[in-house]
Amino acid sequence: MSRAIGMIEFKTVSAGITAADQMVKTAEVELLEAQTVCPGKYIALIAGDLSAVRAAVDRAAQTRPDELIDTFVLGNPDESIFPAIYGSSQIEGVKALGVLETYDASSIIVAADIAAKTAIVKLIELRIAKGMCGKSYMLITGEVAACEAAIAKAKASVGDKGMFLDSSVIARPDPQLCKHIV
């Protein structure tokens, strides 16, 4: 049995709450987050064994399919995802800064997992649609080449769904900027 996370993203709050309820009633999963995000969308993030998470997400997706935006299930997610989501990553010495922005909430977590597994980078932050009109972004750091490779791979995965908005890699970002980001 593998540890996994899964997420649902719905256009409406009522559909999202209904689907989140179905997730926790379908399988033995832990509800990590369930909340409204801009612009009035609803997300729910769960964790548990891979088969339980997959069953719960599949059931939730069937609850209100017309309001469903997206879902994902990640088996063995990179451990740095959780501190990045909750803004508790401890980062020092930013050599390069990678930024990737998406149109939705769920694709940014998948992109972050891909980036973290592509190259030796550290996730700084995952901003998931809060105060951003439904958009999301991730910040990573590492060597310039590692950030470029990680952002390129994450960009390709997000682009496959049409959710890619923008990205950049900044070599040696100014300490004044880092002070506000890290």
Side-chain angles (χ1 to χ4, degrees):
M1 293 186 285
S2 308
R3 186 79 172 146
I5 61 172
M7 183 180 210
I8 56 164
E9 182 177 4
F10 280 85
K11 295 176 192 173
T12 66
V13 174
S14 61
I17 291 172
T18 302
D21 181 64
Q22 288 299 308
M23 283 198 302
V24 295
K25 287 179 177 175
T26 297
E28 191 173 323
V29 294
E30 178 185 357
L31 189 60
L32 301 175
E33 291 224 12
Q35 64 184 330
T36 304
V37 294
C38 295
K41 300 187 301 183
Y42 197 85
I43 62 169
L45 179 66
I46 60 171
D49 291 332
L50 181 58
S51 59
V53 170
R54 190 175 315 279
V57 168
D58 288 349
R59 175 67 183 105
Q62 296 167 4
T63 303
R64 303 273 294 268
D66 291 341
E67 287 87 16
L68 180 67
I69 295 172
D70 201 2
T71 68
F72 74 78
V73 173
L74 284 176
N76 296 319
D78 190 86
E79 291 179 16
S80 64
I81 285 178
F82 297 105
I85 288 173
Y86 298 116
S88 61
S89 297
Q90 300 297 317
I91 306 294
E92 293 181 17
V94 176
K95 295 178 182 178
L97 179 66
V99 184
L100 185 119
E101 190 173 357
T102 65
Y103 285 111
D104 69 336
S106 56
S107 67
I108 200 66
I109 296 175
V110 174
D113 186 60
I114 289 168
K117 291 176 178 175
T118 296
I120 300 172
V121 296
K122 294 180 182 179
L123 296 173
I124 298 172
E125 181 180 3
L126 288 176
R127 178 71 56 95
I128 304 173
K130 296 174 189 166
M132 296 187 50
C133 294
K135 298 185 301 181
S136 298
Y137 70 85
M138 71 175 188
L139 300 175
I140 63 171
T141 187
E143 298 291 337
V144 174
C147 286
E148 288 173 343
I151 291 292
K153 186 85 170 194
K155 178 181 172 179
S157 77
V158 173
D160 289 345
K161 287 187 164 187
M163 291 293 140
F164 173 74
L165 179 59
D166 198 11
S167 68
S168 62
V169 174
I170 303 167
R172 298 176 315 281
D174 191 277
Q176 291 184 71
L177 178 64
C178 292
K179 178 180 156 185
H180 291 278
I181 291 175
V182 179

